[in-house]
Amino acid sequence: MENINIQFKTNYAVSSKIEPFYKGGKVQISKDEQYVFCTCGSRVNVLEISTGKVVHSIEHDDQEDITSFALSCDDEFLVTASRALLLKQWDWKKTQCIRSWRAIHTVPVASMTFDSTSTLLATGGCDGTIKLWDVVKQYCTHNLKGSTGVVHLVQFHPDINLLQLFSSSLNCGIQVWDLRSSQCVCVLESHYSAVTALTFSPDGGTMISSGRDKICTVWDLKEKKARRTVPIYETVEGVVMLPAKKNLSQIGVKSENLHFITAGSKGVLRVWNANSGRCVYTQTLSTLVPSPEEEEETTDNPRGITYLFHLPSSSRLATVTAEHNILFYQLSDLSTLQQFVGYSDAVLDVKFLGKGDSHIVVATNSCQIKVFELLTNSCQILYGHTDTVLSLDVFRKGLMFVSCAKDRSVRVWRMDAESGRVHCVAQGSSHTNAVGSVTCSKLKASFIVSGSQDCTVKVWDLPTGLSTADESGVHQLTPRVTEKVHDKDVNSIAVSPNDKLMASGSQDRTAKLWSLTGAATLNLLGVFRGHRRGVWSVSFSPVDQVLASSSADGTSKLWSLQDFSCLKTFEGHDASVLKVIFVSRGTQLLSSGSDGLVKLWTIKTNECVKTLDAHQDKVWGLHNSQKDDKIVTGSDDSNITVWEDVTQAELAEEQAKQEDQILKQQELSNLLHEKQYLKALGLAISLDQPHTVLSVVKAIRLSEDGGALLEKTVLKLRPDQKESLLRYCAIWNTNARNCLDAQVVLQVLLTHLPPEELMQYQGARTHLEGLIPYTERHMQRIGRLLQTSMFLNYMWQKMRVAGAEMSLEPGEEMDTSPLQQPLFMIDKVGEKDGSEEKPDREDSGSEEDENAPGEEEEEKDEEVSVTMKAPASESRVSDGKTNGAGHSDSGESSDEADVRIGEMLDGSSRGLAVCS
């Protein structure tokens, strides 16, 4: 047997997302027929039709809901209106606001439209007025009054030379406005309810209007009279006039008479002859399985159409449904081309489907099942259930899946491998309550198991040849086994990989193991007890005899199938754990919870390896692909996220990064060896390693004439490199070992760079403020060190070896004068005075030596500050020469230490002065 090395997963990254992009409101399609513009709360989303992706999202700064919008006829710019009574003009391709102005309307704008030249914009308000704007010269040209209530429809006559505007409001009439005189020339009265749409003939002489009074009216615009009223027998939301010179015989257009298409509450497209008023074609939707209840027209029919568009360039039609779905049809035969789901509501379950996991099947908070193609986001909507679909499961080959719903039924669906079309092949209805969970056999498509809120589990045998059945009919299933398995709702069921065992999880806090080998009954093998609340999910390991369960108590547990004992408990979620599955060949777990998180666990170590956070609400759906390289999650926030395993990619990236680091470290060593300090310092900064940069600074300072070389090198750096160097100085300065290097670099930066340039660096103020307290601390520490060294120096001068003769020459006396000359000042007030007096200290040293014996007693009674006890370096050197011969060497070494400390203090005090 081939030995397969199992690689633990460490991370997943978002591969793609299916998010809500339309939640109701206006929809418009661009002139080039490539983009769909639709409102989604406070945003206008731009959907690319070819890919199904939202490519732009336009939102007002105040995040007010957008009440209406209009796209110019040349597709160049977009104008939006919000509840804040602001109109904004956008370059939508750059998502950039060009200009904004206050709408003169006293209440929000309800409708907007452009004329054919894209220069005039008409806005209809809820205050009953219509205003026209010249978007080029940017002023209001007309203020049309006379409408009653909300102006919900405005539209220009296609012939711009006529300068006519059509509008409709609550009075149900169609007002015709002459823009030359700003007067309403006539009112076309025919409808008794709201007018929903207007469409014009190519010559502009005929207009058809549709209304919610279930009629369409054909108007002669030259005579301003109704030519014919056509009863439609449904609430009409959209009407489109068909082109005259196209072959549309497949949809009943057999003559050259005027024909039009209507769409409304019944959700089907119908073709009408305008002359005879008869319906010549009704669309048949083969993907739908209508029920008697759905055949009757209802006010909230989810299939109802709210918008209808004609796309002349591509000979297509587009519709928008009441469930926020956007569908595209071929005009010649009204066949479905594409479907996009604008809003999915809560996602209750999601599974991979199809060859190569090319699709996902989704159960949302509705009676429809949605099948998405991951490449284009195009969706098939499957009708059949009459109530909310609760759970899904996919057979091993990936072309068949089973669903269950609140309508107490289960259904088996099959996808055609070539066309990708899905249809129902079998159904069963025997439960007495909602069916909350369903699973299918693992080896072959032989049976399905369903668990219900009636506390029972049913096993349904599938007929042979179901995987190759056509769409001719739907098989009726009958249960082989019915068993009461729990005292409360059955939340989850799972079948073992060998199809011999079944596990069930219930709201009664237990999970149970059953044998499926019995012909007519289920045999109870054991009970798993340990969860403190209801069990939401159970799952068999693909390789071991263990069962995983998740519960509302916030834990996931592993159970042994041999003795039914709990092997491991995984705690980490803050709320209920809704789903748990095995990945990495049974060595890791994935769990999703009510906290919106997905966690990756390694079973061997009980460790949570990664937490994936991409949802804002309960994550009900969790499934891994057949190749175990992807997972998909679905949540109550309406988002569906596809995750990709990036473990190998991250390992390769980390390895490449390490190799690059090694090469750069080697290059850095070579540059230091060759004394190319500028390149070495730049390379070290590019590595973003403060310690490496520090080592380069130390190397420069140790070289010959290191101070000048460091200053020259630092000043040649780029501004971004100097910015990084300032940040590193703040880090180095926190350590006493590195403070001198930090102060030297800091001195160069603060001395040679103007404050204006320094303050432009990111975080410069924070870095400089952080430098001050540590610098003061270093100064105090060095001051204490100097005080101690002075005392040692003084004692060394006063000491002599016991029994040794004084090595003084005749007439020479030991120097006992106190060392009073200051090297630095800590007092901030006196910093300027100290710096000004510094050049005079060396000259005053000889005078103080002469007066030293007389001042010694006075100094004993006086408290001397640290700043007055530091000896001058020249005095110490001369003092070392006056000592005895036996002490000269030690005196020299002490003087060298004092000189080094003096240099440190000199540099640090200057850095502190500049920093302060």
Side-chain angles (χ1 to χ4, degrees):
M1 183 176 178
E2 184 181 359
N3 185 20
I4 301 176
N5 185 21
I6 300 175
Q7 176 69 46
F8 285 155
K9 303 182 188 304
T10 58
N11 194 13
Y12 286 90
V14 176
S15 174
S16 62
K17 264 189 174 186
I18 300 176
E19 299 177 292
F21 62 85
Y22 174 58
K23 294 183 179 180
K26 184 175 180 180
V27 176
Q28 189 173 347
I29 298 177
S30 62
K31 189 79 171 178
D32 59 11
E33 302 176 5
Q34 295 182 7
Y35 301 97
V36 178
F37 294 75
C38 47
T39 55
C40 186
S42 61
R43 304 190 308 272
V44 173
N45 289 324
V46 184
L47 180 77
E48 189 174 16
I49 297 175
S50 59
T51 62
K53 306 289 186 182
V54 175
V55 292
H56 302 290
S57 186
I58 297 167
E59 184 174 11
H60 281 226
D61 297 334
D62 53 10
Q63 295 186 346
E64 288 283 347
D65 284 350
I66 293 176
T67 57
S68 185
F69 70 90
L71 178 68
S72 62
C73 293
D74 54 8
D75 293 342
E76 288 299 321
F77 53 88
L78 179 79
V79 176
T80 59
S82 70
R83 290 191 180 275
L85 305 182
L86 274 179
L87 295 176
K88 290 198 172 188
Q89 182 177 336
W90 303 82
D91 182 349
W92 61 271
K93 295 178 182 178
K94 299 179 180 179
T95 321
Q96 181 180 358
C97 180
I98 301 174
R99 60 182 286 255
S100 62
W101 67 97
R102 175 72 64 175
I104 311 177
H105 296 279
T106 57
V107 287
V109 175
S111 57
M112 302 172 67
T113 188
F114 273 96
D115 71 337
S116 57
T117 64
S118 300
T119 57
L120 283 179
L121 171 69
T123 60
C126 297
D127 54 2
T129 64
I130 303 171
K131 304 188 189 306
L132 273 75
W133 309 83
D134 189 325
V135 295
V136 177
K137 298 182 180 179
Q138 302 180 1
Y139 70 98
C140 180
T141 62
H142 298 75
N143 186 11
L144 308 179
K145 299 180 180 179
S147 302
T148 304
V150 178
V151 182
H152 60 268
L153 177 65
V154 288
Q155 193 165 339
F156 284 95
H157 192 282
D159 186 0
I160 192 59
N161 296 321
L162 296 178
L163 284 178
Q164 287 183 345
L165 178 71
F166 295 79
S167 69
S168 181
S169 58
L170 292 181
N171 59 9
C172 306
I174 302 172
Q175 293 177 294
V176 183
W177 302 85
D178 183 5
L179 300 184
R180 291 185 175 88
S181 61
S182 298
Q183 299 294 324
C184 177
V185 294
C186 70
V187 179
L188 307 178
E189 296 181 345
S190 173
H191 294 278
Y192 297 94
S193 186
V195 179
T196 55
L198 302 176
T199 182
F200 297 87
S201 61
D203 59 0
T206 305
M207 180 183 74
I208 300 177
S209 62
S210 64
R212 295 197 175 106
D213 52 4
K214 304 182 181 182
I215 65 170
C216 284
T217 304
V218 183
W219 301 90
D220 187 340
L221 295 181
K222 295 180 180 179
E223 299 181 1
K224 304 293 191 297
K225 291 182 180 180
R227 186 185 302 171
R228 175 177 288 276
T229 298
V230 182
I232 307 299
Y233 306 109
E234 68 169 332
T235 301
V236 185
E237 297 290 342
V239 60
V240 165
M241 200 173 295
L242 291 178
K245 297 182 180 180
K246 284 188 178 292
N247 181 14
L248 302 174
S249 58
Q250 295 186 42
I251 56 175
V253 180
K254 303 293 176 97
S255 64
E256 295 183 357
N257 295 332
L258 185 64
H259 290 76
F260 61 91
I261 294 181
T262 61
S265 57
K266 290 185 178 180
V268 294
L269 301 176
R270 292 192 286 179
V271 183
W272 301 81
N273 189 323
N275 292 341
S276 63
R278 298 183 59 183
C279 177
V280 297
Y281 184 80
T282 300
Q283 180 189 28
T284 56
L285 303 178
S286 59
T287 57
L288 309 186
V289 183
S291 62
E293 293 82 5
E294 290 180 327
E295 288 179 349
E296 299 178 3
E297 182 183 353
T298 59
T299 56
D300 57 350
N301 182 10
R303 301 183 198 172
I305 296 174
T306 57
Y307 289 95
L308 175 64
F309 303 98
H310 179 216
L311 311 181
S313 299
S314 56
S315 297
R316 291 182 295 174
L317 291 175
T319 62
V320 181
T321 68
E323 277 205 330
H324 312 127
N325 302 325
I326 301 175
L327 293 87
F328 291 87
Y329 301 98
Q330 188 66 45
L331 181 59
S332 59
D333 56 0
L334 298 186
S335 59
T336 305
L337 297 175
Q338 285 178 291
Q339 299 184 57
F340 299 109
V341 176
Y343 181 64
S344 296
D345 206 350
V347 179
L348 303 182
D349 204 359
V350 59
K351 294 285 190 296
F352 281 106
L353 182 69
K355 286 187 176 180
D357 300 318
S358 58
H359 295 68
I360 56 173
V361 55
V362 182
T364 61
N365 192 23
S366 68
C367 57
Q368 293 89 35
I369 299 173
K370 299 177 176 66
V371 179
F372 290 90
E373 184 180 2
L374 292 177
L375 188 61
T376 62
N377 278 8
S378 181
C379 175
Q380 297 179 57
I381 302 175
L382 309 180
Y383 295 86
H385 288 288
T386 58
D387 208 338
T388 304
V389 180
L390 297 176
S391 182
L392 304 164
D393 198 17
V394 180
F395 287 90
R396 181 180 179 181
K397 292 185 178 180
L399 295 177
M400 290 178 59
F401 66 94
V402 59
S403 63
C404 64
K406 285 185 178 180
D407 60 5
R408 309 175 186 177
S409 70
V410 295
R411 284 180 176 266
V412 182
W413 307 80
R414 178 178 173 272
M415 171 184 279
D416 186 86
E418 296 180 358
S419 65
R421 308 301 300 175
V422 180
H423 61 278
C424 182
V425 293
Q427 66 173 343
S429 177
S430 180
H431 283 285
T432 59
N433 208 332
V435 186
S437 59
V438 68
T439 189
C440 54
S441 55
K442 304 303 178 185
L443 295 179
K444 58 181 180 179
S446 57
F447 66 89
I448 60 174
V449 184
S450 60
S452 170
Q453 293 180 8
D454 59 12
C455 307
T456 65
V457 164
K458 294 181 182 290
V459 181
W460 312 73
D461 284 331
L462 300 180
T464 57
L466 198 62
S467 59
T468 58
D470 54 16
E471 302 182 27
S472 58
V474 178
H475 293 274
Q476 296 297 323
L477 303 177
T478 55
R480 169 169 59 91
V481 178
T482 300
E483 190 80 26
K484 184 179 184 298
V485 293
H486 287 281
D487 297 329
K488 292 186 179 180
D489 299 355
V490 179
N491 290 333
S492 177
I493 50 178
V495 173
S496 63
N498 60 3
D499 285 347
K500 294 182 179 180
L501 301 175
M502 184 203 73
S504 60
S506 170
Q507 205 64 30
D508 62 7
R509 307 180 185 180
T510 64
K512 295 184 179 181
L513 185 66
W514 304 83
S515 173
L516 290 173
T517 55
T521 59
L522 296 176
N523 299 321
L524 179 63
L525 300 179
V527 181
F528 306 99
R529 292 186 175 91
H531 284 294
R532 299 186 303 275
R533 293 193 179 180
V535 178
W536 277 114
S537 175
V538 290
S539 178
F540 282 97
S541 169
V543 292
D544 295 324
Q545 294 186 8
V546 294
L547 179 78
S549 65
S550 63
S551 167
D553 60 10
T555 65
S556 301
K557 292 180 180 290
L558 277 186
W559 308 87
S560 170
L561 299 184
Q562 301 294 330
D563 54 7
F564 312 109
S565 62
C566 179
L567 302 176
K568 288 180 180 290
T569 300
F570 303 90
E571 299 183 33
H573 287 278
D574 295 332
S576 301
V577 185
L578 303 176
K579 205 86 167 182
V580 61
I581 59 173
F582 284 91
V583 293
S584 304
R585 296 183 178 270
T587 59
Q588 291 181 296
L589 286 176
L590 275 170
S591 61
S592 63
S594 296
D595 51 8
L597 303 177
V598 178
K599 290 182 177 289
L600 176 64
W601 307 84
T602 298
I603 295 176
K604 185 176 181 180
T605 61
N606 266 48
E607 179 188 2
C608 178
V609 179
K610 188 69 177 179
T611 298
L612 309 176
D613 186 5
H615 295 285
Q616 306 299 323
D617 211 332
K618 300 180 182 70
V619 182
W620 289 104
L622 175 64
H623 190 232
N624 63 325
S625 61
Q626 292 182 353
K627 295 181 179 180
D628 203 21
D629 58 345
K630 293 181 180 180
I631 61 172
V632 60
T633 56
S635 170
D636 266 353
D637 59 7
S638 303
N639 289 338
I640 302 168
T641 306
V642 179
W643 305 80
E644 186 176 5
D645 178 19
V646 294
T647 303
Q648 295 295 336
E650 286 187 347
L651 287 175
E653 183 181 354
E654 184 66 25
Q655 185 176 358
K657 190 181 294 184
Q658 290 178 358
E659 292 176 356
D660 186 56
Q661 291 280 355
I662 293 173
L663 291 175
K664 287 186 176 180
Q665 291 286 358
Q666 182 61 45
E667 184 181 357
L668 180 63
S669 300
N670 296 338
L671 291 174
L672 288 176
H673 181 71
E674 297 169 1
K675 296 185 178 182
Q676 298 182 22
Y677 294 119
L678 179 60
K679 292 183 178 180
L681 189 58
L683 180 59
I685 293 174
S686 68
L687 292 173
D688 197 21
Q689 296 177 355
H691 182 72
T692 305
V693 180
L694 179 63
S695 64
V696 175
V697 171
K698 288 180 180 293
I700 296 175
R701 292 189 66 233
L702 290 175
S703 63
E704 185 179 354
D705 196 12
L709 182 59
L710 178 64
E711 179 178 338
K712 180 180 178 182
T713 305
V714 169
L715 293 178
K716 287 184 178 180
L717 294 175
R718 300 193 309 269
D720 60 317
Q721 294 174 330
K722 293 177 183 176
E723 179 181 331
S724 300
L725 203 57
L726 179 61
R727 175 164 52 90
Y728 297 154
C729 284
I731 298 174
W732 302 336
N733 199 50
T734 59
N735 192 327
R737 295 180 179 178
N738 306 324
C739 66
L740 181 58
D741 301 289
Q743 292 292 333
V744 172
V745 175
L746 188 64
Q747 179 189 357
V748 175
L749 293 176
L750 298 181
T751 304
H752 293 84
L753 298 183
E756 294 80 9
E757 182 179 348
L758 277 174
M759 296 312 296
Q760 290 179 357
Y761 293 165
Q762 185 178 3
R765 182 179 297 274
T766 304
H767 299 325
L768 293 175
E769 289 177 353
L771 282 164
I772 294 175
Y774 281 101
T775 303
E776 292 178 345
R777 188 181 303 176
H778 296 321
M779 296 289 286
Q780 294 170 5
R781 177 177 55 81
I782 296 175
R784 291 192 299 270
L785 178 62
L786 273 177
Q787 183 178 3
T788 306
S789 65
M790 182 280 299
F791 178 75
L792 287 175
N793 191 31
Y794 177 77
M795 293 298 296
W796 181 254
Q797 293 182 30
K798 296 297 183 180
M799 283 192 308
R800 65 185 178 86
V801 181
E805 295 182 358
M806 296 293 292
S807 58
L808 297 176
E809 296 180 359
E812 185 178 1
E813 296 181 357
M814 178 180 289
D815 183 13
T816 59
S817 62
L819 306 176
Q820 299 177 1
Q821 295 182 2
L823 272 180
F824 68 99
M825 301 292 291
I826 291 183
D827 188 3
K828 293 185 178 181
V829 177
E831 283 179 0
K832 292 185 178 180
D833 298 335
S835 60
E836 291 174 358
E837 293 175 359
K838 185 176 179 181
D840 300 330
R841 289 173 188 165
E842 296 179 1
D843 298 335
S844 62
S846 58
E847 297 177 4
E848 289 179 359
D849 289 340
E850 295 175 359
N851 300 329
E855 297 176 355
E856 185 174 358
E857 294 180 359
E858 185 179 351
E859 290 290 342
K860 291 181 180 179
D861 299 330
E862 188 176 325
E863 183 177 355
V864 183
S865 66
V866 176
T867 60
M868 301 300 295
K869 292 182 179 180
S873 58
E874 293 183 3
S875 299
R876 286 196 301 270
V877 173
S878 61
D879 290 344
K881 293 179 180 180
T882 59
N883 278 336
H887 306 291
S888 60
D889 295 338
S890 299
E892 290 177 2
S893 62
S894 175
D895 293 341
E896 292 175 359
D898 290 342
V899 170
R900 287 198 300 272
I901 293 173
E903 291 176 352
M904 290 172 60
L905 279 174
D906 193 19
S908 299
S909 60
R910 282 180 292 181
L912 176 62
V914 179
C915 187
S916 301

